Amino acid sequence: MLDLDCIAVHERLKDKFGEGASAADNGRLSVKPDRLTEVAAFLRDDPEFNFDYLNSVTGVDHKTHFSLIYRLTSLSRKQRLDFRVDLTDHDKPTAPSVTPVWRGADLQEREIYDLMGIEFTGHPNLKRILLWDGFPGYPLRKDWVDRDA
Amino acid sequence: MAIEPPRNFAYSDIELDAREGEIVESFLKSHQTAIPDPIDWLNAPPLASNVLLTSVDKVVNWSRHYSMWPVTFGLACCAIEMMCTAASRFDLARFGMEIFRASPRQADLMIVAGTLTWKMAPWLKRIYDQMPDPKWVLAMGSCGTSGGIFKGSYSVVPGFNKIVPIDVYVPGCPPRPEALLQAILDIHAKVDKMSPTRRAVEG
């Protein structure tokens, strides 16, 4: 299993989508949220990448902003890629859903919405999955306080 | 001269059949007379020595005590320890409890083992309400007593006594099977103190 060099991937994405779609900083690839859907579709369909499997989507609360971390695996080409999507709006974080690209993102995005409150536009069924309807707040955020505390 | 085919087995099929025939025939010959029925129980002592006078309370408590059927309510890791208690090494069956019921209708002791989340709590209450009286509840593990290491979490009930009345608490994370057995013996002691013929007084 080969971990792709993010600089090379960034060069490919720059050729395809132009400057503003992605960035490679500190050896990590980050993608702009408004270009995420097309970048994801490109990573899945391009014969050189062919990332047909989404390992995980992870939400991270950085207190000033949110991040989403996507882990991709290409089962046919035996390679991996991680990239990051930074959501600058901490009050109402929204990101485009990658569920149309990888169906495996469905429940994971619902879980992130449930516990972190990041809205995924274009998700087919965005509602809470672990907690019940009417639960106050999003308990995995850093600034969340328990009702009983 | 014909070459014999290689033999795969010690006996050919024909030899095996002949052998079986011999066994059956000898068995048939040697079992022609009836074996006498065991009838010594008919000569049992008369009724007087089989009657025991006691109180209804004692009889009922005795029968409840020695045939307590637990309903399984394994929620988390403590359930593994509970299974271990019921398995061969610690052998819950020594105390008349080998039948773990999966149905609350036939059980009178609920061993709640594991972490109870708020999402599960209504169903715990429902299972408890479905159990026929008299019923006892055993809270197993730290989560049952206070929420354990998950106390203060957004999803965990801090102690089962928020949901159902608890008879015996078993501390430990998880409690060893010996601790669970001790708790069950405490429940038995509690049963022996009850008075089924009179309505239990609150408090």
Side-chain angles (χ1 to χ4, degrees), chain B residues 12-68:
Chain B
S12 69
D13 286 355
I14 296 169
E15 284 168 336
L16 280 177
D17 284 352
R19 237 184 106 103
E20 191 187 6
E22 286 165 18
I23 293 171
V24 173
E25 279 297 325
S26 68
F27 201 81
L28 192 149
K29 283 196 181 66
S30 59
H31 285 77
Q32 286 300 318
T33 54
I35 300 167
D37 300 342
I39 52 169
D40 40 347
W41 60 271
L42 287 174
N43 307 322
L47 187 63
S49 59
N50 274 328
V51 172
L52 192 68
L53 287 178
T54 176
S55 69
V56 174
D57 281 5
K58 276 211 171 78
V59 169
V60 172
N61 281 344
W62 174 81
S63 59
R64 281 178 184 172
H65 173 153
Y66 283 107
S67 175
M68 189 168 273

Side-chain angles (χ1 to χ4, degrees), chain B residues 78-95:
Chain B
C78 277
I80 305 288
E81 219 69 8
M82 183 174 71
M83 296 171 210
C84 185
T85 314
S88 56
R89 182 169 176 185
F90 297 94
D91 197 13
L92 204 57
R94 290 178 293 158
F95 308 100

Side-chain angles (χ1 to χ4, degrees), chain B:
Chain B
M1 180 179 149
I3 301 171
E4 275 197 16
R7 297 184 60 158
N8 294 332
F9 306 104
Y11 298 101
S12 69
D13 286 355
I14 296 169
E15 284 168 336
L16 280 177
D17 284 352
R19 237 184 106 103
E20 191 187 6
E22 286 165 18
I23 293 171
V24 173
E25 279 297 325
S26 68
F27 201 81
L28 192 149
K29 283 196 181 66
S30 59
H31 285 77
Q32 286 300 318
T33 54
I35 300 167
D37 300 342
I39 52 169
D40 40 347
W41 60 271
L42 287 174
N43 307 322
L47 187 63
S49 59
N50 274 328
V51 172
L52 192 68
L53 287 178
T54 176
S55 69
V56 174
D57 281 5
K58 276 211 171 78
V59 169
V60 172
N61 281 344
W62 174 81
S63 59
R64 281 178 184 172
H65 173 153
Y66 283 107
S67 175
M68 189 168 273
W69 286 11
V71 62
T72 57
F73 209 93
L75 293 168
C77 15
C78 277
I80 305 288
E81 219 69 8
M82 183 174 71
M83 296 171 210
C84 185
T85 314
S88 56
R89 182 169 176 185
F90 297 94
D91 197 13
L92 204 57
R94 290 178 293 158
F95 308 100
M97 296 183 54
E98 68 268 37
I99 309 185
F100 265 94
R101 291 284 98 183
S103 151
R105 303 265 182 221
Q106 299 150 4
D108 38 22
L109 167 67
M110 181 158 66
I111 303 179
V112 190
T115 314
L116 183 67
T117 57
W118 281 111
K119 213 173 166 179
M120 190 70 191
W123 281 266
L124 174 78
K125 183 79 170 74
R126 179 176 296 183
I127 298 271
Y128 176 79
D129 289 339
Q130 283 175 353
M131 286 166 67
D133 272 332
K135 51 194 172 186
W136 295 271
V137 183
L138 200 157
M140 185 177 173
S142 296
C143 297
T145 56
S146 67
I149 57 171
F150 305 109
K151 188 170 172 59
S153 163
Y154 62 92
S155 58
V156 174
V157 180
F160 300 157
N161 52 7
K162 298 250 192 309
I163 314 294
V164 290
I166 306 286
D167 287 293
V168 172
Y169 297 90
V170 195
C173 185
R176 279 191 61 89
E178 295 96 330
L180 182 59
L181 289 176
Q182 178 61 48
I184 284 164
L185 293 182
D186 288 352
I187 291 254
H188 286 178
K190 194 166 184 168
V191 170
D192 282 342
K193 289 199 183 76
M194 287 179 70
S195 176
T197 50
R198 292 190 292 274
R199 174 65 59 189
V201 183
E202 288 294 323

Side-chain angles (χ1 to χ4, degrees), chain A residues 4-19 21-22 24 29 39 42-43 45-51 77 79 81:
Chain A
L4 283 193
D5 180 35
C6 64
I7 307 283
V9 179
H10 172 56
E11 293 299 324
R12 280 293 312 275
L13 291 177
K14 204 158 65 173
D15 295 342
K16 174 88 180 159
F17 297 104
E19 280 289 345
S22 64
L29 183 70
V39 170
F42 169 72
L43 287 174
D45 297 329
D46 187 71
E48 191 186 325
F49 293 132
N50 198 8
F51 287 111
R77 298 188 57 95
Q79 55 194 11
L81 177 70

